[in-house]
Amino acid sequence: MNRLKRFMLNGALTALAAIAMRFAGLLLNVFVTRRLGAGGMGLLSLVNSVFGFALTFSTAGVSLAATRLCAEALSRNSGAELRHALHRCLAYALTVGGLCVLFLLSFADVIAARALSAPEAAASLRLLAVSMPLFSLSAVLGGYFSAVRRAWKSAVTAVLEQGAKIAAVIGLFTVFTPNSDGQACFLVILGTVGSEAVSCLVGWLLYLFDLSGVQGKGRELPGVTGRMMSIVLPVSISSYIRSGLVTVEHMLIPGGLTRAGKNPAAALATYGVVQGMVFPVIFFPTSLLYAFTGLVIPEMTREKEQRNLAQIRRITEKVLHLTLLFAVLCGGLLFVFADGLGQALYKSASAGYYIRVFAPLIPVMYLDSATDALLKGLGEQVYTMKVNVLDALLSLVLVALLLPKIGIWGYVIVVYSSEAVNLGFSLHRLYRVTGTLPRMLRSVTLPLAAVVLMLPLGHPPLSGFLVLRCMLAAFVYLLFLWLAECIGKEERELLKKTFGIQSKRKTV
């Protein structure tokens, strides 16, 4: 099996698993939303913001380090270096995970009472604390599986995790009837922690079985620990700063909405609608995107090791083009069918309204994610660190300035502004490194024209048959792109190679 076919098959299997997992997660989010309500989702979102910071502290940079160090070792066919690198990454991950446990256990009450203004969240924070080493370990295993082109093993553990989480959360809410938002939040977190334990155990067993076939031979370059830290530290420092700023930003949002004229309960409910209902829908399609961009990192690392600039440019061009085609389709579908999705998922006109508000930003968000993956594969993690910190700092300042004055629309401006700034800097750096940028006509203008053709399918008189209309709209979009040759010969040849279809044409 050639490298291209293996890459695409790994991506396809990972993507299918990720889509199924994300869809199941979206349904679980609908279930939880209906049990907790907007106010409870607001509290859960605040707890998740702290969880996000703790998770960042425990895992930042270590997955990328494992991927790049293992990919470099494989390029030299050195099993000894691969094992050494993995041992260093595991030791680092478990150390920072343990430190995170101590911090959260010590300060859970203070964080809940003073930072979140929700003392009932302390129990959830303490429960999250004990799971941090599990997330750290899983991050290293995921990086290893990506490097050795066996990302399907990460997909297996992720599917098991999601399945266990769904079963646990639904089971807990069936057995127990929470009397407060704090108790309901605790049940959701308990299901999350239990599912991560299952996932980590399965991933570790797969890792041990896989590593048993790696021989400890080959030339080992010195300084593995130093090279690991040169990857981990820039990513970690930027992630800590950015995650800290984002956490503070999220804590300021309910207060800012209150000062803009809402009472505290209504402010928390509005925050819950955007963070707990809208953004899970906006980011739902990223499961497919991340499946491929995660695999791009080791490929770019290998090409950089071999100084193959032509192949780097080819991969970059393809990733940017396909990302934009996918992102514009997702943004178009969510914009056209926002009202129907809000009602179908949450029975909420407000959720549908804000889905439409944020849908045009999807191409920017998705393209930024793909660009960051390309840059990280090329060793530009220090630059992405600076951009991400700038993005988070800008968001925090704008939240403090705009929300008390114009309410939720201030938050909309914050999200649009920060994402645009982040993408602009990232694309500038990518062009400096590779000399490649998206082609506006083929990757942006024509896909947007295809979205216009989808608009009549979302007209109110056509209400009902939501899934059928979405499928028809996607077909119209893809057909237009095919006729306009946005999906051209190279893409068709790529699909043929992926699924083993013989062709006499040679892929460029």
Side-chain angles (χ1 to χ4, degrees), residues 13 21 107 123 135 141 191 201 264 283 301 313 338 348 402 412 488 490:
L13 290 172
M21 182 180 66
F107 295 99
F135 286 103
L141 300 182
L201 175 61
F283 289 109
T301 300
R313 287 176 174 172
S348 170
L402 295 179
V412 174
E490 291 184 64

Side-chain angles (χ1 to χ4, degrees), residues 357-478:
V357 167
F358 286 105
L361 191 60
I362 286 177
V364 177
M365 291 177 168
Y366 291 13
L367 184 61
D368 182 54
S369 296
T371 303
D372 277 358
L374 291 167
L375 288 172
K376 288 175 181 177
L378 293 170
E380 294 290 331
Q381 60 270 7
V382 175
Y383 183 82
T384 59
M385 168 194 77
K386 297 175 182 177
V387 173
N388 288 335
V389 170
L390 174 64
D391 170 22
L393 184 59
L394 174 64
S395 298
L396 179 60
V397 172
L398 290 178
V399 162
L401 292 176
L402 295 179
L403 260 68
K405 296 180 179 179
I406 55 178
I408 192 63
W409 278 102
Y411 185 59
V412 174
I413 294 172
V414 169
V415 176
Y416 269 81
S417 299
S418 64
E419 290 291 341
V421 168
N422 199 319
L423 177 62
F425 278 106
S426 297
L427 283 178
H428 173 74
R429 186 64 174 181
L430 187 66
Y431 180 74
R432 291 283 300 273
V433 174
T434 67
T436 304
L437 285 175
R439 298 181 183 180
M440 290 302 297
L441 177 64
R442 189 165 180 256
S443 301
V444 179
T445 306
L446 289 174
L448 288 176
V451 171
V452 174
L453 299 178
M454 296 160 49
L455 291 175
L457 292 170
H459 202 263
L462 295 177
S463 60
F465 303 103
L466 182 62
V467 174
L468 181 61
R469 286 188 294 139
C470 286
M471 294 175 62
L472 182 58
F475 174 77
V476 169
Y477 177 87
L478 294 173

Side-chain angles (χ1 to χ4, degrees), residues 158-284:
V159 169
L160 287 175
E161 177 187 353
Q162 190 66 276
K165 181 177 180 180
I166 292 171
V169 171
I170 293 177
L172 287 169
F173 274 98
T174 301
V175 174
F176 300 102
T177 302
N179 296 319
S180 65
D181 290 341
Q183 291 180 5
C185 183
F186 183 85
L187 292 181
V188 176
I189 299 302
L190 181 59
T192 301
V193 172
S195 64
E196 179 59 28
V198 172
S199 170
C200 188
L201 175 61
V202 173
W204 182 254
L205 293 175
L206 290 173
Y207 161 77
L208 291 178
F209 179 77
D210 192 275
L211 196 65
S212 64
V214 177
Q215 297 182 354
K217 299 180 180 179
R219 181 173 63 91
E220 180 178 347
L221 291 184
V224 170
T225 302
R227 284 187 286 130
M228 178 192 74
M229 297 307 294
S230 71
I231 298 171
V232 168
L233 285 181
V235 175
S236 297
I237 293 171
S238 69
S239 297
Y240 298 160
I241 297 172
R242 186 173 189 272
S243 184
L245 292 171
V246 169
T247 301
V248 174
E249 171 197 333
H250 285 187
M251 292 176 182
L252 291 176
I253 290 172
L257 293 175
T258 299
R259 289 193 295 276
K262 291 183 178 292
N263 63 55
L268 191 61
T270 302
Y271 177 71
V273 168
V274 174
Q275 290 290 333
M277 300 183 192
V278 174
F279 280 173
V281 176
I282 294 293
F283 289 109
F284 170 72

Side-chain angles (χ1 to χ4, degrees), residues 5 9 11 46 64 73 148 173 260 301 487:
K5 185 175 179 181
L9 283 177
L46 288 176
L64 176 63
V148 297
F173 274 98
T301 300
I487 303 175

Side-chain angles (χ1 to χ4, degrees), residues 1-18 149-153 155 288 291-292 295 299 494-501:
M1 183 182 293
N2 61 44
R3 282 179 57 188
L4 176 62
K5 185 175 179 181
R6 183 177 298 174
F7 172 82
M8 291 298 294
L9 283 177
N10 265 295
L13 290 172
T14 306
L16 288 174
R149 296 194 181 100
R150 283 183 280 279
W152 65 268
K153 294 189 176 183
L288 178 61
F292 282 97
L295 297 177
E299 295 299 322
L494 196 62
L495 291 174
K496 289 178 181 178
K497 279 185 173 290
T498 301
F499 296 106
I501 302 173

